[in-house]
Amino acid sequence: MSLHSDLLAQARHLARRESKRPRQASLRRSVSASYYAVFHMLIDEATRRMMSGNDRIALRRCLARGFSHRNMHRVALQFAGSGVSQKLRPGLNGLPLQPELVALARTFVDLQQARHEADYNLALRFTRREALNLANRADRAMTAWRDLRKTAQADTFLTGLLAFGNLQG
């Protein structure tokens, strides 16, 4: 299995770990794992698209370190509906964004926010239902990606996730 699939399985396991009263630690780690499942899936997709072949695994791992949460958040916000930057618009070929890509980007933004809350906002309490709902959203986003992955819009999104801060224009 891939890291992102393992993380999604872990998110579900942690959300269900204690049968009666789930511990906040389990639920918070579940929320985090759901976010990281999508985060690592997108990075894996981008690096595999840029460099294929088993002889490039080490190079893909180096490239993966170039992705940042902040940059990915900025681009996902644009694709989620705030408007795609002039820097990335040429890759859309003048077409409106695919609704599935908008939904995936929105899910990424929401999962990142939830992960931030889970990791840093100790006043907030999570429920098992919330943790499982986030895992389900991550799963739907990862499934939707399979249909989007070969499109020019997907390539534009992945390019932005890595290089938006360095693009000119």
Side-chain angles (χ1 to χ4, degrees):
M1 278 181 103
S2 61
L3 175 61
H4 50 273
S5 296
D6 289 345
L7 285 165
L8 186 57
Q10 182 183 57
R12 288 193 167 115
H13 168 76
L14 287 167
R16 295 181 179 123
R17 185 170 173 210
E18 294 90 16
S19 62
K20 299 258 188 224
R21 291 185 355 200
R23 295 179 183 150
Q24 282 299 297
S26 297
L27 297 176
R28 288 170 183 277
R29 294 309 305 149
S30 171
V31 169
S32 185
S34 292
Y35 164 70
Y36 279 108
V38 176
F39 174 82
H40 285 292
M41 183 269 305
L42 291 170
I43 292 172
D44 184 62
E45 285 286 322
T47 59
R48 284 178 187 276
R49 298 289 291 273
M50 291 179 209
M51 292 169 222
S52 61
N54 289 335
D55 61 331
R56 306 265 187 337
I57 292 171
L59 189 55
R60 282 196 300 271
R61 288 181 180 150
C62 288
L63 181 61
R65 299 289 297 149
F67 287 82
S68 75
H69 296 279
R70 179 179 296 169
N71 201 55
M72 291 175 75
H73 177 79
R74 287 173 55 197
V75 171
L77 268 178
Q78 292 176 36
F79 278 76
S82 69
V84 177
S85 165
Q86 287 293 105
K87 294 179 182 184
L88 293 171
R89 266 197 221 142
L92 302 177
N93 298 322
L95 298 173
L97 287 175
Q98 296 166 276
E100 298 84 3
L101 184 55
V102 172
L104 183 144
R106 177 82 258 152
T107 296
F108 181 85
V109 169
D110 292 347
L111 287 171
Q112 191 182 66
Q113 180 60 39
R115 193 241 0 136
H116 184 81
E117 294 291 337
D119 287 352
Y120 302 110
N121 185 354
L122 300 182
L124 183 64
R125 298 198 44 89
F126 286 88
T127 66
R128 181 189 320 270
R129 181 177 305 215
E130 289 169 324
L132 288 171
N133 284 343
L134 290 169
N136 289 337
R137 286 188 70 193
D139 190 21
R140 285 192 302 274
M142 292 164 64
T143 300
W145 181 258
R146 289 184 204 124
D147 293 332
L148 293 167
R149 70 196 306 182
K150 303 279 181 170
T151 67
Q153 289 191 8
D155 287 343
T156 304
F157 182 65
L158 293 176
T159 299
L161 294 179
L162 174 62
F164 182 75
N166 294 318
L167 294 174
Q168 302 299 312

